Amino acid sequence: MAQSFPKARVNQLIGEDFGQSLENVGFGIIDGLLGSDWTNGLRQEIKKLYDQGLLVPNKTYYEGRKDENGRFVYGYSVSKPNVHELDLSTIELQKRKELDIPHLNALYEDETIQKSINRAAPDFNITKLDIKIQYNAGEGGCFPMHFDTTTNVSKRRVTGTLYLNPDWIPEHGGQLRVYPFPYDIMDVDPLNDRLVLFSSHETLHRVMPSHAPARYCITLWYYVDQDSPQSLQIPRFSWLRQVEGIGFLLNPNTRKLLSKIVYDNHWRESVRQSFGEQKEEIEKILANHNKEVEHIKKQLSPEILDFLLQCVPLAHGEDFLKLARPIKGE
Ligand SMILES: O=C(O)CCC(=O)C(=O)O
Ligand SMILES: [Fe+2]
């Protein structure tokens, strides 16, 4: 049996400050979310499922498009060496109970985190959770740059990544790298009991190569039934709006495209690092990426393109750093 879920602690940590972070910079970091009994329990259960061979190689999907029936389909997928995962929603309830994973089941079933997010950031109004567990066996295992969804693919709106790595040291790498366009990158260490919550369709991120013997992460995906116009149009970085002429960088519709140009080198590097020896696939992904970048560039005037390449990403200012600072529990 797992101890009862630490509701009071979660309620207190995912509060107003977190809401401010999510709405303004697109992500929030919370430290000491569940306590060590819970993180130990979760980690041991993931290891047990991994040892039982229930985790499968993670895949990244490319070239999403609508098929002739208007349904969204992907062109192809590429697997990432050393990254093993299991989506708990793919296991029937009865089977999940039989697996004897009380901490994971409680995390899946308890609604405290979801309710706290809704209270702190009401624009999202999330109603459903999916959980994916991940065991990264090291040797450079990583994720390429990606958004967790786009609004025409799914109603996934908030992503949480909960890390379970008490022995993490900088040499292990495996940081979550967040790209809060138009600001510069931010690396978040995958520290034990740290939860990072971010906007699923807007926050570009990747996982840096991990060299730890094992890196544990649980991904929480929260869905909405229906989008509120506010949740899709959060302008973010309100302080930056005061700088004349910079508004176009903050437009929710274009931010995503412009970030592909500005972080182009990062994008390529992350693809090369993520897929090991699968050279053909890597070249195909990069060729498509190039096409997309060239297409976006063509839509921009030379002055704007010049400005983007010279001046963006912006250095983190005081306002940014205050909002990006971890919120700490015990
Ligand atoms: O492992 C991580 O830190 C994040 C994983 C991730 O980006 C994902 O599951 O989509
Ligand atoms: Fe992700």
Side-chain angles (χ1 to χ4, degrees):
M1 269 298 286
Q3 285 181 334
S4 62
F5 197 76
K7 291 178 198 265
R9 180 175 179 140
V10 168
N11 265 324
Q12 191 228 326
L13 282 167
I14 306 181
E16 220 171 278
D17 286 356
F18 160 74
Q20 286 291 319
S21 300
L22 187 64
E23 300 213 354
N24 281 292
V25 294
F27 64 91
I29 305 171
I30 289 150
D31 280 346
L33 182 76
L34 301 176
S36 57
D37 287 348
W38 272 83
T39 52
N40 289 340
L42 291 165
R43 188 184 322 107
Q44 282 157 13
E45 290 168 18
I46 296 175
K47 179 68 167 50
K48 185 170 85 171
L49 298 181
Y50 174 71
D51 289 342
Q52 288 174 357
L54 291 173
L55 275 60
V56 293
N58 170 278
K59 288 181 176 170
T60 300
Y61 292 83
Y62 286 98
E63 289 192 50
R65 59 180 171 80
K66 291 249 169 85
D67 69 6
E68 55 277 15
N69 303 317
R71 276 212 319 244
F72 196 86
V73 289
Y74 282 104
Y76 59 97
S77 64
V78 190
S79 66
K80 310 184 196 47
N82 304 306
V83 181
H84 308 274
E85 296 187 331
L86 176 64
D87 189 336
L88 292 189
S89 69
T90 61
I91 311 176
E92 278 180 23
L93 182 64
Q94 182 59 28
K95 174 90 196 291
R96 264 205 291 118
K97 300 285 175 203
E98 286 165 14
L99 283 172
D100 189 25
I101 45 170
H103 294 86
L104 284 168
N105 281 333
L107 182 66
Y108 199 2
E109 282 154 24
D110 191 278
E111 293 185 346
T112 314
I113 298 178
Q114 178 175 308
K115 286 185 179 151
S116 305
I117 296 172
N118 279 336
R119 222 182 26 237
D123 284 344
F124 284 97
N125 196 20
I126 48 178
T127 54
K128 192 192 123 188
L129 165 68
D130 271 350
I131 284 193
K132 184 181 75 172
I133 60 176
Q134 186 205 131
Y135 179 96
N136 181 329
E139 306 199 16
C142 59
F143 282 59
M145 282 167 74
H146 65 282
F147 296 95
D148 277 359
T149 192
T150 59
T151 49
N152 59 352
V153 174
S154 82
K155 293 238 178 311
R156 187 185 283 173
R157 291 294 171 267
V158 178
T159 299
T161 51
L162 174 64
Y163 299 102
L164 305 166
N165 306 301
D167 302 322
W168 187 87
I169 48 170
E171 290 70 31
H172 285 164
Q175 297 89 344
L176 176 74
R177 179 168 286 181
V178 181
Y179 293 82
F181 182 88
Y183 283 92
D184 209 349
I185 58 170
M186 214 180 119
D187 281 352
V188 185
D189 300 337
L191 299 181
N192 199 51
D193 213 5
R194 168 171 279 180
L195 176 70
V196 186
L197 286 162
F198 52 89
S199 159
S200 310
H201 65 288
E202 288 188 305
T203 304
L204 186 56
H205 60 284
R206 94 200 230 202
V207 178
M208 302 308 286
S210 177
H211 303 287
R215 174 188 187 272
Y216 292 88
C217 173
I218 299 179
T219 302
L220 309 168
W221 277 314
Y222 291 99
Y223 296 79
V224 295
D225 286 336
Q226 231 173 355
D227 283 308
S228 70
Q230 296 93 307
S231 70
L232 293 177
Q233 294 294 322
I234 296 172
R236 311 214 190 288
F237 311 116
S238 46
W239 65 88
L240 191 60
R241 290 193 165 270
Q242 292 154 22
V243 182
E244 209 172 322
I246 222 157
F248 78 100
L249 292 178
L250 307 176
N251 180 326
N253 297 320
T254 48
R255 216 160 38 197
K256 230 173 147 160
L257 299 173
L258 299 180
S259 68
K260 291 199 177 171
I261 301 180
V262 168
Y263 306 125
D264 186 28
N265 287 338
H266 287 245
W267 203 294
R268 289 158 197 280
E269 179 200 58
S270 78
V271 168
R272 291 199 186 283
Q273 285 173 337
S274 298
F275 301 118
E277 295 302 310
Q278 303 171 89
K279 293 204 166 59
E280 247 176 63
E281 285 82 355
I282 291 173
E283 290 316 315
K284 187 166 156 185
I285 296 164
L286 290 178
N288 272 318
H289 172 70
N290 284 351
K291 250 204 280 181
E292 206 183 340
V293 167
E294 287 314 310
H295 180 74
I296 300 167
K297 280 184 178 170
K298 274 205 200 114
Q299 322 289 314
L300 302 170
S301 71
E303 293 77 17
I304 296 272
L305 186 58
D306 212 39
F307 169 77
L308 275 179
L309 298 177
Q310 305 275 346
C311 305
V312 184
L314 310 175
H316 301 153
E318 227 173 85
D319 288 317
F320 179 96
L321 289 173
K322 214 157 95 193
L323 285 155
R325 199 181 292 151
I327 296 162
K328 287 196 189 300
E330 286 152 39

